[in-house]
Amino acid sequence: MKSTIKDVAKKASVSIATVSFVINDSKHISAETKSRVLKAIKSLNYHPSKSAINLVSGKTGNIGFILTDDHFLRTEPFYTRIFLGTEFEARSEGYYILLTSVRPDFNEKDILPRFILNKSVDGIIIAGKIPHNLIERISAYNLPTVFIDYIPQTNSSPLVLIDNIQGGLLATNHLISLGHKNIAFIGGDMEHPSLSDRLNGYKQALENANIPVKNNLIVTDAKYPDRQNGFDSAKKIFSKNKNVTAVFAGNDAMAIGVLNYLKNNGYKVPQDISLIGFDDVEADLMLSPTLTTIRVPKIEMGIEALKLLVNTLKNKKSLSKKILVSVELIIRESTSVYKPK
Amino acid sequence: MKSTIKDVAKKASVSIATVSFVINDSKHISAETKSRVLKAIKSLNYHPSKSAINLVSGKTGNIGFILTDDHFLRTEPFYTRIFLGTEFEARSEGYYILLTSVRPDFNEKDILPRFILNKSVDGIIIAGKIPHNLIERISAYNLPTVFIDYIPQTNSSPLVLIDNIQGGLLATNHLISLGHKNIAFIGGDMEHPSLSDRLNGYKQALENANIPVKNNLIVTDAKYPDRQNGFDSAKKIFSKNKNVTAVFAGNDAMAIGVLNYLKNNGYKVPQDISLIGFDDVEADLMLSPTLTTIRVPKIEMGIEALKLLVNTLKNKKSLSKKILVSVELIIRESTSVYKPK
DNA sequence: ATGAAAGCGCTAACAT
DNA sequence: ATGTTAGCGCTTTCAT
C-alpha cells in the first residue's frame, strides 16, 4: 500500500539514488529522467518517509514551542495567536510544532519538556515570561532558541519583541493630544520588560509634553496584569485622586478591569474618564464603550520567530538578531477630548 | 556527544540487542545485566532516537489534534484545556501532539492538515464541531480517529462526549428544587449535539416535575453560543416575559452575556433572577455574582480521548467505544431560592 | 548523468 | 539469557 523510494525507482527504471536526487534537486538529472521519476512519484502517490529522512539527516523536523500554563489559558487569546502564527509559518517551512506548556513556578524538581530530553526538536521558541531556571536548564542542551515577548536575563538568543516604548509613547501622546494632563498609568508584573517599557514610553511622552510625572498616578504593584488587578489598581488610583481624567492601562486585560471599576463607581467612559489599553486582544465584544488600544501584531510575531529560528537552523550559526515589531494606535470609543468640569 | 545504543552496549559490555530488550522490557534479561545496562544508560544520558524507532516500527509516534480557529481562540479556555489534557496524557504514552487549527468554513479548496497528507501521524483527535466535508476527506486516509465533544454525521469512530442530558437535568433540577417554575432556557447552535442535549435535559426535568414546557421561554436561534448572543437572547426573553425567575444558559459564555443583560436592566442576580451556566470555564473572576454552573471535566476529556486513541492504535482494531464523561453541579452565588414578589 | 553501496539508530527474528 | 544480523527508507560518497 505505502510506496517507498524503491517502488518509485522500479517504476521509473532508475536507481533509488536518482529518485533521491530528483526529489531534493541535489544533483543534475536529465530532464527526461527527471520527468519519468516525477511521474512515477505522482502515480504512486509517494511521500518520502519523514522518519527515514530524520534518521539519516540527524534532524527531527520539529520545533518546540514553550509557554506557561497561565499564558496558554489566558482569557485573552494573546499567546495562542502568537502560536498560530508560528504554526502557520511552520507549514510553509515544512516543520512541525510541538507545543507544550510549563508551570509558571517551574522549579528544580520539575522535568524538562520531553521533546528536549528526547532530542525531538531542532530548535525552540519560547513565548512570554518563563521561569529563569527553566531557561538555564534548557540552555544546557544547546538548542537554537528564539524568545518572543521576553528578554531572558542571560541572553544571547534571537528575540522577537514588541516595540513597547513606541507603544507607550503612542498611547500617552494620544491622550495628551486630546487635552488630558492628569493621566494615570496602571501596570503590573514590572519584571516583564513589556510592561516596564510601556511605562517608560508613558513617562517619556509626558516629559516631551512638559507634563510632570506624578508617582501617585502610577500603580505598578500588581503581580500579574489581569482583569482583577486592573480593577484593584483603578480603585487605588481613584479613591485618592479626584482629578485624574485619563488612564493608560498596561494591557487590555487590566483596561477591562479598570473599565469595570469605573462603571461600578459611576464614572462615564469616555465622558468622565478616557481609557486606553494595550495589546488589542479583541477580548470582549460586550465591552461598552469599545476600547481604544495599541495593537500588537500577534500572528506576525509568531511568524517572525519561526523565520528567525529556521534561519538559524539553516545557517548553522546563530544570527542573534533582535526584531522589534511595531505597534499601532487603534482609536475606538473609550477615549475622547478632555472637557473641564 | 550524542550517545547511541552502541555506546550503551559497549559501556555495559553487552550487545545492542540486550540494550534494546532492557529498554523495551521485551525479553527476560537477568537482573544483573539489566542493572548494568540501566546504569550505562544513565551515565551516558542516553535517549533512544525517535527517528530510528519510528523508521523501524513504521509508526510516527505523532498524533494530530484538529480544531477550528474560533474554538482555539475562544475567550473561554474550553478547548485549550481539552488540548492540555491530551498533551498531558501523550507525555506518559510517549506520543507527540501535532496541533493544527482549520477554518470553520473549511471547504473543498482548502488543503488538509499537512500531517495527514504527509502521513506524519498515527491517529487523529478532532475536538468540537468540525466542517463535515473536512471529516469526509480525512476519513479517506483511514487514520484511527477519536472525536471529542462532537458527533459527526457519518460516524464509526470512538467518541468522547459530555453527558449533556444529565447536565441539563442537574441544572434544571437545581433551579426547580429552589422553587423556580418559570425557567428560561437560552441556547444556540442547536446543530451541535451538546447544546440540544442540554435542552433535552431541561425539558425532561420540567416534565419530571410536572412543570409545563413553554416554548416562549426557550430561545435557541443564536448561531453561535457566545456572550453577545447570550446577551441578545436574554433581551428576547425578558422583553416579553415578566414572570421568568430563573435562566438556564446553554454555556457559561452565554450565561455571562445574560448576566450582563440583567445587570444593565436593573435585575438583581440572584435576588430577582437565578442564573445557571454550563461548562465551568472559570472565565471571569470579575463576575459578580459568581456563576452557578455545571462543571465539565475538560482536562479529563482530553486524557480520555488520547487513551482511547492509543488503545485503538495498539490493538490495531477500532474499539468504537463511546465515553460519556459525567458532569457536576457547582453551586455558587448566581442561584437562590425563589421568593414571590 | 546515473548507479552501487555504506550507513543513520533501532527492533526483532533467529542463533547460540 | 544473550548475541548476531537483516532490514526499516532514506541520503550521500564514490564509482562508472
Side-chain angles (χ1 to χ4, degrees):
Chain A
M1 186 66 247
K2 215 178 264 179
S3 49
T4 73
I5 198 169
K6 261 190 193 163
D7 304 322
V8 176
K10 194 182 290 174
K11 182 131 193 172
S13 316
V14 294
S15 71
I16 63 166
T18 303
V19 176
S20 175
F21 295 147
V22 169
I23 292 171
N24 300 300
D25 213 22
S26 49
K27 227 165 207 177
H28 194 67
I29 300 291
S30 74
E32 190 200 8
T33 309
K34 191 183 266 180
S35 87
R36 221 170 49 232
V37 170
L38 257 18
K39 214 164 66 188
I41 288 178
K42 194 155 234 168
S43 83
L44 291 170
N45 187 29
Y46 166 72
H47 288 271
S49 149
K50 267 253 178 201
S51 312
I53 294 174
N54 292 345
L55 178 58
V56 80
S57 71
K59 304 245 184 295
T60 69
N62 297 329
I63 287 172
F65 191 103
I66 303 176
L67 77 180
T68 57
D69 293 335
D70 55 342
H71 281 329
F72 188 53
L73 293 172
R74 261 175 70 162
T75 301
E76 299 78 22
F78 185 86
Y79 290 103
T80 19
R81 278 212 147 75
I82 292 179
F83 169 81
L84 238 37
T86 298
E87 217 286 313
F88 181 79
E89 186 65 16
R91 291 180 204 176
S92 9
E93 295 286 356
Y95 283 92
Y96 289 115
I97 306 295
L98 268 27
L99 170 64
T100 205
S101 67
V102 297
R103 293 174 23 203
D105 59 344
F106 188 92
N107 61 50
E108 289 73 28
K109 283 164 198 157
D110 287 315
I111 56 173
L112 287 176
R114 74 184 193 292
F115 54 62
I116 295 178
L117 296 173
N118 296 345
K119 312 196 165 83
S120 298
V121 294
D122 300 332
I124 304 178
I125 292 177
I126 295 179
K129 188 179 170 187
I130 279 275
H132 184 242
N133 83 76
L134 211 207
I135 297 176
E136 280 203 325
R137 276 170 61 196
I138 289 179
S139 71
Y141 285 78
N142 239 337
L143 285 163
T145 304
V146 172
F147 288 88
I148 302 180
D149 191 32
Y150 189 60
I151 305 175
Q153 295 173 34
T154 51
N155 162 47
S156 61
S157 300
L159 266 28
V160 175
L161 301 172
I162 302 164
D163 194 342
N164 289 298
I165 296 195
Q166 183 209 10
L169 279 165
L170 276 176
T172 314
N173 282 339
H174 171 61
L175 296 174
I176 293 172
S177 73
L178 290 171
H180 295 279
K181 290 203 170 8
N182 287 297
I183 303 172
F185 177 87
I186 287 181
D189 189 19
M190 302 310 284
E191 285 174 39
H192 192 125
S194 272
L195 272 296
S196 57
D197 274 354
R198 290 169 193 183
L199 174 57
N200 288 336
Y202 159 88
K203 288 180 178 168
Q204 217 170 294
L206 291 183
E207 280 161 17
N208 294 347
N210 287 316
I211 300 175
V213 174
K214 295 177 200 150
N215 283 325
N216 57 328
L217 295 189
I218 299 176
V219 175
T220 59
D221 51 356
K223 274 187 66 179
Y224 195 78
D226 60 10
R227 297 184 184 197
Q228 184 65 52
N229 281 323
F231 187 95
D232 294 343
S233 300
K235 182 186 271 177
K236 281 185 194 153
I237 296 267
F238 285 95
S239 54
K240 289 185 198 151
N241 302 282
K242 298 304 171 195
N243 51 357
V244 172
T245 66
V247 176
F248 171 21
N251 67 12
D252 284 354
M254 296 198 95
I256 291 170
V258 172
L259 185 58
N260 262 286
Y261 173 84
L262 292 173
K263 278 182 172 177
N264 288 0
N265 289 274
Y267 294 93
K268 292 232 177 298
V269 177
Q271 294 86 337
D272 303 330
I273 307 284
S274 279
L275 174 64
I276 187 167
F278 206 115
D279 283 352
D280 193 29
V281 290
E282 304 149 45
D284 208 320
L285 298 170
M286 312 264 345
L287 233 48
S288 164
T290 55
L291 195 63
T292 295
T293 191
I294 304 293
R295 173 174 296 164
V296 173
K298 295 160 281 289
I299 304 271
E300 285 75 6
M301 291 179 76
I303 293 177
E304 288 304 326
L306 191 102
K307 279 185 180 164
L308 217 48
L309 187 55
V310 169
N311 231 304
T312 308
L313 256 27
K314 285 189 177 151
N315 294 325
K316 216 41 189 153
K317 58 175 176 211
S318 166
L319 310 179
S320 192
K321 227 161 125 187
K322 179 174 13 177
I323 290 186
L324 219 55
V325 304
S326 39
V327 296
E328 187 188 355
L329 173 65
I330 304 292
I331 301 178
R332 298 210 183 88
E333 299 168 352
S334 66
T335 49
S336 72
V337 172
Y338 166 67
K339 293 193 201 89
K341 293 167 195 172
Chain B
M1 185 68 246
K2 215 179 264 180
S3 49
T4 73
I5 198 170
K6 262 189 191 164
D7 304 321
V8 176
K10 195 182 292 174
K11 182 130 192 173
S13 318
V14 295
S15 72
I16 62 164
T18 303
V19 177
S20 174
F21 295 148
V22 169
I23 293 171
N24 301 300
D25 213 23
S26 48
K27 229 166 206 175
H28 193 68
I29 301 291
S30 74
E32 190 199 8
T33 310
K34 191 183 265 180
S35 87
R36 220 169 51 232
V37 170
L38 257 17
K39 214 163 67 187
I41 288 179
K42 195 154 234 171
S43 83
L44 290 170
N45 188 27
Y46 165 73
H47 289 271
S49 149
K50 266 256 175 201
S51 312
I53 294 174
N54 293 342
L55 178 58
V56 81
S57 70
K59 305 245 183 295
T60 68
N62 296 330
I63 287 171
F65 192 103
I66 303 176
L67 78 179
T68 58
D69 293 336
D70 55 341
H71 280 331
F72 188 53
L73 293 172
R74 260 175 72 162
T75 301
E76 297 77 22
F78 185 86
Y79 289 104
T80 20
R81 278 213 147 75
I82 292 179
F83 169 81
L84 238 37
T86 299
E87 217 285 312
F88 181 79
E89 187 64 16
R91 290 179 204 176
S92 9
E93 295 286 355
Y95 283 92
Y96 288 115
I97 306 295
L98 269 27
L99 171 64
T100 205
S101 66
V102 296
R103 294 175 23 205
D105 60 343
F106 188 93
N107 62 49
E108 289 73 28
K109 283 164 199 156
D110 287 314
I111 57 172
L112 287 176
R114 73 183 195 293
F115 54 61
I116 295 179
L117 296 172
N118 295 345
K119 310 196 166 80
S120 298
V121 293
D122 300 332
I124 304 177
I125 292 177
I126 294 179
K129 189 178 170 187
I130 280 276
H132 184 242
N133 83 76
L134 210 208
I135 296 176
E136 281 202 323
R137 278 170 60 196
I138 289 179
S139 71
Y141 285 77
N142 238 337
L143 285 163
T145 304
V146 172
F147 288 88
I148 302 181
D149 192 31
Y150 189 58
I151 305 176
Q153 294 172 35
T154 51
N155 163 45
S156 61
S157 300
L159 266 29
V160 175
L161 301 172
I162 302 165
D163 194 343
N164 288 299
I165 297 194
Q166 183 209 8
L169 278 165
L170 276 178
T172 314
N173 282 339
H174 171 61
L175 296 174
I176 293 172
S177 74
L178 290 171
H180 295 279
K181 293 206 168 6
N182 287 297
I183 303 172
F185 178 87
I186 287 182
D189 188 20
M190 302 311 283
E191 285 174 38
H192 193 125
S194 272
L195 272 297
S196 57
D197 273 353
R198 289 169 194 184
L199 174 57
N200 288 337
Y202 160 88
K203 288 180 177 168
Q204 217 169 293
L206 291 183
E207 280 162 18
N208 293 348
N210 286 316
I211 300 175
V213 174
K214 295 178 199 151
N215 283 326
N216 58 329
L217 295 190
I218 300 177
V219 175
T220 60
D221 51 358
K223 273 187 66 181
Y224 195 78
D226 59 12
R227 297 185 183 197
Q228 184 66 51
N229 281 323
F231 187 95
D232 295 344
S233 300
K235 182 186 271 175
K236 281 186 193 150
I237 297 266
F238 286 95
S239 55
K240 288 185 197 151
N241 303 281
K242 299 302 172 196
N243 53 356
V244 172
T245 66
V247 177
F248 171 21
N251 67 12
D252 285 353
M254 297 197 95
I256 291 169
V258 172
L259 185 59
N260 263 285
Y261 173 85
L262 293 173
K263 278 182 172 177
N264 289 359
N265 289 275
Y267 294 92
K268 292 231 177 299
V269 178
Q271 293 85 339
D272 303 330
I273 306 285
S274 279
L275 173 65
I276 186 167
F278 206 115
D279 283 352
D280 193 30
V281 289
E282 304 150 45
D284 209 321
L285 298 171
M286 313 264 345
L287 233 49
S288 164
T290 54
L291 195 62
T292 295
T293 191
I294 303 294
R295 172 174 296 164
V296 173
K298 296 160 282 290
I299 304 270
E300 285 76 4
M301 292 180 76
I303 293 176
E304 288 304 327
L306 189 103
K307 279 186 180 162
L308 217 48
L309 187 55
V310 168
N311 231 305
T312 308
L313 255 27
K314 286 190 178 152
N315 294 324
K316 219 37 192 157
K317 57 174 177 211
S318 165
L319 311 179
S320 191
K321 226 160 127 188
K322 180 176 7 178
I323 291 187
L324 219 54
V325 303
S326 38
V327 296
E328 186 188 356
L329 172 66
I330 304 292
I331 301 178
R332 298 208 183 90
E333 298 168 354
S334 67
T335 49
S336 71
V337 173
Y338 166 67
K339 292 193 201 88
K341 294 165 194 172

